Amino acid sequence: MDKILVTGACGQVGTELTVKLREIYGDQQVIASDIADPKEVLQQGPFEELDVLDMDHLEDLIQDYDVTQVYHLAALLSAKAEQQVDFAWKLNTQGLLNVLNLARDLDLEKVYWPSSIAVFGPDTPVDQTPQVTITNPNTVYGISKLACERWCEYYYRKFDVDVRSLRYPGLIGYKAMPGGGTTDYAVDIFHKALEGEPFECFLEPDTYLPMMYMEDAVKATIDLMHAEGENLSVRDSYNVAAISFSPAEIAAAIQNEIPDFNITYQPDYRQEIADSWPNSIDDSQARQDWNWSPNYDLQAMSKDMLANLRELKEIPS
Ligand code: AKB
């Protein structure tokens, strides 16, 4: 019987992934954990307060619940990490190493860990960035993700830990807010547009970044975890792609639905982070190995985001 522990379950990805995993495996089979208090949506099943740097507590939880798989999502995102460099490095790298060591020592069946397009840097080819290419990240978040990718591959090859990973692009969803990323603007913009407020964007209008609707990100994660291990040729982290757009383009997509919506631009330190990341990603290896393909383009995503947020915020259309 699969028993799944999700760390960082209160985060943007964790919230949606935990709900989906409980739909698939059953509420009691998925233990949500976070350093933060449980959200209402996570109270359908077990919840444990957990600091992933506390290895003893992590080990106790895995043993007490007979956990077979860990989805290790607890981390600091790019913009926040630049403000707390030492802590970001410690949380992002030691947190994963704690999980990988326990996966090895307690013989866990599988581990999922998210990497990011932040592993790429200013020397990386920006368009259709290949699976294997120059990385050279220049943010603490990117450096930590790249180091962790290497650890994942190392633990797979050396200790047979079945750890699987995706390089998430910016993720856009309506069920949970992102916290501290460079791509967060692409979520905030929908909230402002629906509240009838102008949006001040912290990136330049023509800053292209790879993005993905959360439905697709959750699908990619589950599909990768359900894939036959022998089909997976990438054991550091898979490129996955869906949409690439700029702030000006997403504003235009929103204006199709809300013509009065107004955007202004006030770039800050996050512009430099965004400038070091690719415009678009080549995900052909993921397509080939486990049949990855996204369902949402910019228009479909914008429509769905607005419809769902309208309902949640009880705003008439
Ligand atoms: C961030 O902006 O930090 C994240 C990411 C691209 O990993 N959304």
Side-chain angles (χ1 to χ4, degrees), residues 77-78 116-117 141 168-170 181-183 277:
L77 294 182
S78 59
S116 161
I117 54 158
Y141 176 67
Y168 287 140
T182 303
T183 56
W277 291 351

Side-chain angles (χ1 to χ4, degrees), residues 69-266:
Q69 300 185 25
V70 177
Y71 284 63
H72 173 54
L73 309 176
L76 233 55
L77 294 182
S78 59
K80 222 175 184 173
E82 289 305 300
Q83 323 278 2
Q84 300 177 60
V85 171
D86 292 345
F87 178 64
W89 173 255
K90 187 168 172 193
L91 175 67
N92 292 6
T93 56
Q94 195 56 52
L96 176 70
L97 282 168
N98 286 350
V99 171
L100 290 178
N101 282 327
L102 289 170
R104 176 194 59 197
D105 298 345
L106 303 176
D107 212 12
L108 296 189
E109 191 203 322
K110 275 182 219 166
V111 173
Y112 176 75
W113 167 79
S115 185
S116 161
I117 54 158
V119 294
F120 301 117
D123 304 323
T124 303
V126 288
D127 293 316
Q128 288 301 304
T129 300
Q131 175 68 46
V132 180
T133 186
I134 300 169
T135 44
N136 295 349
N138 61 2
T139 61
V140 62
Y141 176 67
I143 297 167
S144 72
K145 288 289 182 189
L146 184 59
C148 286
E149 284 193 5
R150 303 316 310 146
W151 280 126
C152 285
E153 195 183 80
Y154 184 88
Y155 272 69
Y156 171 70
R157 305 240 173 264
K158 193 100 179 172
F159 304 124
D160 212 17
V161 173
D162 188 356
V163 49
R164 304 175 179 200
S165 175
L166 300 173
R167 289 174 177 154
Y168 287 140
L171 299 180
I172 299 160
Y174 58 88
K175 291 184 191 151
M177 293 300 283
T182 303
T183 56
D184 293 9
Y185 90 85
V187 177
D188 298 341
I189 193 170
F190 284 100
H191 287 265
K192 287 282 189 232
L194 274 177
E195 283 153 15
E197 286 182 34
F199 178 65
E200 187 179 277
C201 185
F202 56 73
L203 297 181
E204 300 270 17
D206 56 352
T207 310
Y208 275 84
L209 285 171
M211 300 277 189
M212 186 180 285
Y213 198 34
M214 189 60 86
E215 313 283 316
D216 277 333
V218 168
K219 175 168 93 82
T221 308
I222 305 276
D223 286 356
L224 174 69
M225 288 299 273
H226 287 173
E228 288 299 331
E230 67 202 25
N231 294 339
L232 304 181
S233 63
V234 173
R235 284 298 182 158
D236 48 4
S237 189
Y238 275 98
N239 277 6
V240 278
I243 328 169
S244 280
F245 58 78
S246 65
E249 285 179 353
I250 193 169
I254 292 174
Q255 280 156 350
N256 279 339
E257 306 275 326
I258 306 176
D260 300 345
F261 172 60
N262 190 21
I263 183 167
T264 56
Y265 299 92
Q266 196 61 53

